[in-house]
Amino acid sequence: IDKQGKFTRMSHLYWEQMVFLKTYLEYRKILVLKARQVRVSTVTGAALFHDSWMSTDPINTLCVCHESGAVQRMNQMWRTFVRGLPPELRPTMPVDNSKEIQLGHNESTFAQLLAGGRGGGRSKSFQRTWWTEMAFYPRGSAASGTKGDSSQPADVSLYASVMSTMPEDAPCIIESTANGPGGLYHSMALTARRSPEWAFLFFPWYRCEDYARAVPDGFEATDEELELLELYPEMTMENIVWRRWKVVDEGYGNELFAKEYPVNPEDPFLLTGERWFCLQTLRRMAAMLRAPTRRVGFLRIYTEPEAGRKYFIGQDTSGGVKKDWGAVVVLRDDLTVVAVWVSNTVRPHAQADAAADVADLYGRARVLCEKNKYGKACIKRMSE
């Protein structure tokens, strides 16, 4: 059902939907950071439904929503997928209520849970989880009906409670618009960008086909708008016209627009209000950050080694106990960062091995390692 409330076939997939489906075939864990209304929820629901419908064994899927209206929408989406099938392929639905749907031919289920509500996530075992609009889950106190730590924020407790019942390799999809810094979603987004187990997808607003308007006669871009066009080559003047309409005519303002319609993955998490640094400068710097060209485990490669260049490595060590992060940063002779290795789960000796491997990759680069309690162990290991 499209934005106009009409039934439509998914014969034309949008750019963000194609990217998601390609990633869904390759990764078990996906986190999506998106602008508002970019159709990711629809394609996520379709992919999960397809898995359940085609399976010979029952697949139980849990969808965790941020509000009661979203619970109803997800339930209706699944029901629409069933009824949109050709009659000869359409399964019966022995269970069809406001919280759960079951497919008759293989007993697969699709259940919805309201974050902050009671029960729903503990009544059965699930093989797939879908966390939609996670950034807007309640954070105040632990959710009732869960077995999580009541001293933790509600969103953290709920996530830990549900995931503890899941198989270790179970598909997990998190997709949300950001809601400022802090909270479970921000933490998960940072993890997804660093961990090789996760695929991190970012969909900026200007890549969405709907977010453009015709350029009126006499329209002149401001200095800020001209800078956006320079920083983001794929952005068009039609995008700028739409942005100004949203910021000015719709009353969003620059801060709220940046949070709900980000241009880069850092933008929606920058602290607003009183701050130490100029927000415009931070956004300009964030626009210059590059995506890695290749990932090898915890190593993100931005530029491959080049013959004749010199490389230098700085190493920040950690205990590897899921608290502080250890890092190996490779600088080229022109002070460009060409590769970064980061982990908070790898022990000091293995961090030393990683630094040695990265140094070998980049022409036996010299490593400058901090000499704290963990650094001493790393230095000794690298010496060996």
Side-chain angles (χ1 to χ4, degrees):
I1 302 176
D2 63 16
K3 291 181 180 180
Q4 288 72 41
K6 298 179 180 180
F7 288 96
T8 181
R9 293 190 178 277
M10 295 180 69
S11 55
H12 168 67
L13 292 178
Y14 295 91
W15 165 76
E16 57 268 19
Q17 293 178 326
M18 291 294 294
V19 171
F20 176 87
L21 282 178
K22 182 177 183 296
T23 306
Y24 183 78
L25 294 175
E26 298 176 4
Y27 284 85
R28 308 291 284 178
K29 297 180 179 181
I30 303 172
L31 186 139
V32 178
L33 170 58
K34 61 185 178 66
R36 292 189 62 186
Q37 300 291 319
V38 294
R39 311 178 186 89
V40 172
S41 295
T42 301
V43 74
T44 302
L48 291 169
F49 172 77
H50 180 269
D51 279 0
S52 296
W53 173 52
M54 293 291 289
S55 177
T56 56
D57 300 312
I59 293 178
N60 298 320
T61 301
L62 177 65
C63 177
V64 184
C65 305
H66 69 298
E67 61 176 9
S68 57
V71 171
Q72 297 172 7
R73 289 193 297 273
M74 297 305 170
N75 188 282
Q76 181 60 36
M77 179 190 296
W78 198 269
R79 188 179 291 111
T80 301
F81 290 148
V82 173
R83 293 175 178 169
L85 292 170
E88 61 273 17
L89 298 179
R90 189 181 305 155
T92 60
M93 292 188 289
V95 178
D96 182 7
N97 56 49
S98 60
K99 293 185 178 180
E100 186 176 49
I101 290 174
Q102 183 182 61
L103 305 182
H105 68 295
N106 63 5
E107 299 184 356
S108 291
T109 64
F110 178 67
Q112 299 85 47
L113 172 64
L114 177 62
R118 292 183 176 275
R122 308 286 308 194
S123 59
K124 65 169 67 176
S125 61
F126 293 92
Q127 289 75 49
R128 280 156 176 68
T129 51
W130 174 14
W131 306 81
T132 179
E133 296 300 347
M134 176 185 275
F136 298 90
Y137 292 176
R139 302 181 189 177
S141 59
S144 57
T146 70
K147 296 182 180 178
D149 182 357
S150 60
S151 65
Q152 294 180 323
D155 52 356
V156 175
S157 181
L158 174 62
Y159 183 77
S161 174
V162 172
M163 295 306 293
S164 67
T165 68
M166 302 284 295
E168 188 172 341
D169 63 343
C172 175
I173 299 172
I174 301 171
E175 49 90 9
S176 183
T177 303
N179 189 26
L184 174 64
Y185 178 68
H186 188 191
S187 174
M188 293 302 301
L190 292 174
T191 297
R193 296 184 70 179
R194 293 165 172 164
S195 172
E197 295 182 359
W198 285 85
F200 176 80
L201 298 179
F202 171 65
F203 298 122
W205 67 268
Y206 58 86
R207 290 295 304 271
C208 180
E209 295 180 12
D210 296 341
Y211 296 158
R213 302 187 92 181
V215 182
D217 294 338
F219 181 86
E220 292 186 10
T222 65
D223 290 344
E224 178 196 19
E225 292 165 345
L226 290 173
E227 185 178 55
L228 283 172
L229 290 170
E230 181 181 354
L231 291 172
Y232 302 96
E234 292 180 316
M235 191 179 296
T236 66
M237 190 61 75
E238 287 76 12
N239 294 138
I240 291 295
V241 173
W242 182 88
R243 177 183 181 273
R244 187 186 295 185
W245 167 75
K246 199 73 177 177
V247 169
V248 179
D249 297 356
E250 293 285 295
Y252 257 66
N254 286 327
E255 301 301 335
L256 181 58
F257 185 89
K259 185 168 71 173
E260 297 194 353
Y261 298 92
V263 289
N264 61 64
E266 281 73 28
D267 214 20
F269 299 119
L270 294 177
L271 185 65
T272 57
E274 293 187 7
R275 51 189 168 265
W276 286 90
F277 303 105
C278 170
L279 196 59
Q280 186 175 0
T281 301
L282 289 177
R283 286 178 175 151
R284 188 180 298 115
M285 294 172 68
M288 298 175 183
L289 296 177
R290 297 174 296 154
T293 58
R294 185 161 64 97
R295 292 175 63 165
V296 182
F298 292 105
L299 177 65
R300 299 197 297 264
I301 296 175
Y302 298 91
T303 303
E304 299 288 346
E306 301 174 60
R309 303 299 296 259
K310 289 186 177 181
Y311 298 93
F312 307 90
I313 292 175
Q315 183 173 9
D316 181 18
T317 61
S318 73
V321 290
K322 296 188 177 181
K323 291 184 178 180
D324 57 329
W325 292 76
V328 175
V329 181
V330 186
L331 286 173
R332 197 169 57 194
D333 48 27
D334 60 355
L335 302 185
T336 298
V337 174
V338 295
V340 177
W341 179 100
V342 289
S343 173
N344 69 343
T345 60
V346 174
R347 297 284 182 169
H349 270 214
Q351 291 176 35
D353 292 341
D357 289 341
V358 175
D360 190 52
L361 177 64
Y362 282 89
R364 298 187 65 80
R366 289 190 176 185
V367 180
L368 179 64
C369 178
E370 65 171 347
K371 197 176 181 181
N372 64 356
K373 58 181 179 180
Y374 301 125
K376 291 177 182 178
C378 279
I379 292 169
K380 183 176 184 297
R381 173 67 173 170
M382 281 190 285
S383 298
E384 293 170 354

